[in-house]
Short mmCIF file of all heavy atoms in Angstrom, two decimals:
data_model
loop_
_atom_site.label_atom_id
_atom_site.label_comp_id
_atom_site.label_asym_id
_atom_site.label_seq_id
_atom_site.Cartn_x
_atom_site.Cartn_y
_atom_site.Cartn_z
N GLY A 98 -15.29 -68.09 30.95
CA GLY A 98 -14.91 -67.51 29.67
C GLY A 98 -13.55 -68.03 29.23
O GLY A 98 -12.85 -68.74 29.97
N GLU A 99 -13.16 -67.65 28.03
CA GLU A 99 -11.90 -68.14 27.45
C GLU A 99 -10.69 -67.75 28.30
O GLU A 99 -9.80 -68.59 28.52
CB GLU A 99 -11.76 -67.56 26.03
CG GLU A 99 -10.73 -68.26 25.20
CD GLU A 99 -10.73 -67.77 23.76
OE1 GLU A 99 -11.80 -67.74 23.13
OE2 GLU A 99 -9.63 -67.43 23.29
N ALA A 100 -10.65 -66.52 28.80
CA ALA A 100 -9.51 -66.08 29.62
C ALA A 100 -9.44 -66.87 30.92
O ALA A 100 -8.35 -67.25 31.37
CB ALA A 100 -9.61 -64.58 29.91
N GLU A 101 -10.59 -67.15 31.52
CA GLU A 101 -10.61 -67.92 32.77
C GLU A 101 -10.16 -69.36 32.53
O GLU A 101 -9.46 -69.94 33.37
CB GLU A 101 -12.02 -67.93 33.37
CG GLU A 101 -12.45 -66.58 33.94
CD GLU A 101 -13.90 -66.61 34.39
OE1 GLU A 101 -14.78 -66.86 33.54
OE2 GLU A 101 -14.13 -66.39 35.61
N ILE A 102 -10.52 -69.92 31.40
CA ILE A 102 -10.08 -71.28 31.08
C ILE A 102 -8.58 -71.33 30.87
O ILE A 102 -7.91 -72.26 31.34
CB ILE A 102 -10.86 -71.84 29.87
CG1 ILE A 102 -12.30 -72.12 30.30
CG2 ILE A 102 -10.19 -73.09 29.30
CD1 ILE A 102 -13.23 -72.57 29.21
N GLU A 103 -8.02 -70.33 30.23
CA GLU A 103 -6.57 -70.28 30.06
C GLU A 103 -5.87 -70.14 31.41
O GLU A 103 -4.84 -70.78 31.64
CB GLU A 103 -6.18 -69.13 29.11
CG GLU A 103 -6.57 -69.38 27.66
CD GLU A 103 -6.07 -70.71 27.11
OE1 GLU A 103 -4.87 -71.03 27.29
OE2 GLU A 103 -6.88 -71.46 26.52
N GLU A 104 -6.42 -69.34 32.29
CA GLU A 104 -5.88 -69.18 33.64
C GLU A 104 -5.95 -70.53 34.40
O GLU A 104 -5.01 -70.92 35.07
CB GLU A 104 -6.67 -68.11 34.39
CG GLU A 104 -6.16 -67.83 35.78
CD GLU A 104 -6.99 -66.77 36.49
OE1 GLU A 104 -8.24 -66.84 36.45
OE2 GLU A 104 -6.38 -65.88 37.10
N LEU A 105 -7.06 -71.23 34.23
CA LEU A 105 -7.25 -72.53 34.86
C LEU A 105 -6.21 -73.53 34.35
O LEU A 105 -5.64 -74.30 35.13
CB LEU A 105 -8.67 -73.04 34.58
CG LEU A 105 -9.06 -74.39 35.15
CD1 LEU A 105 -8.91 -74.44 36.66
CD2 LEU A 105 -10.50 -74.72 34.74
N LYS A 106 -5.91 -73.50 33.07
CA LYS A 106 -4.89 -74.40 32.50
C LYS A 106 -3.52 -74.14 33.13
O LYS A 106 -2.77 -75.09 33.40
CB LYS A 106 -4.81 -74.23 30.99
CG LYS A 106 -5.97 -74.86 30.24
CD LYS A 106 -5.82 -74.64 28.74
CE LYS A 106 -6.96 -75.26 27.97
NZ LYS A 106 -6.82 -75.03 26.51
N VAL A 107 -3.21 -72.89 33.40
CA VAL A 107 -1.94 -72.55 34.05
C VAL A 107 -1.91 -73.11 35.47
O VAL A 107 -0.91 -73.69 35.92
CB VAL A 107 -1.71 -71.02 34.04
CG1 VAL A 107 -0.53 -70.63 34.94
CG2 VAL A 107 -1.49 -70.52 32.62
N GLU A 108 -3.02 -72.98 36.19
CA GLU A 108 -3.10 -73.51 37.56
C GLU A 108 -2.96 -75.03 37.56
O GLU A 108 -2.27 -75.60 38.41
CB GLU A 108 -4.43 -73.08 38.19
CG GLU A 108 -4.52 -71.59 38.41
CD GLU A 108 -5.93 -71.10 38.70
OE1 GLU A 108 -6.91 -71.86 38.53
OE2 GLU A 108 -6.06 -69.92 39.09
N ILE A 109 -3.60 -75.68 36.61
CA ILE A 109 -3.49 -77.14 36.52
C ILE A 109 -2.07 -77.56 36.17
O ILE A 109 -1.56 -78.54 36.70
CB ILE A 109 -4.53 -77.68 35.51
CG1 ILE A 109 -5.93 -77.54 36.11
CG2 ILE A 109 -4.23 -79.13 35.13
CD1 ILE A 109 -7.06 -77.77 35.15
#
Side-chain angles (χ1 to χ4, degrees):
E99 196 174 309
E101 289 174 299
I102 288 175
E103 290 307 312
E104 182 181 46
L105 180 58
K106 286 180 180 179
V107 169
E108 294 165 349
I109 289 168

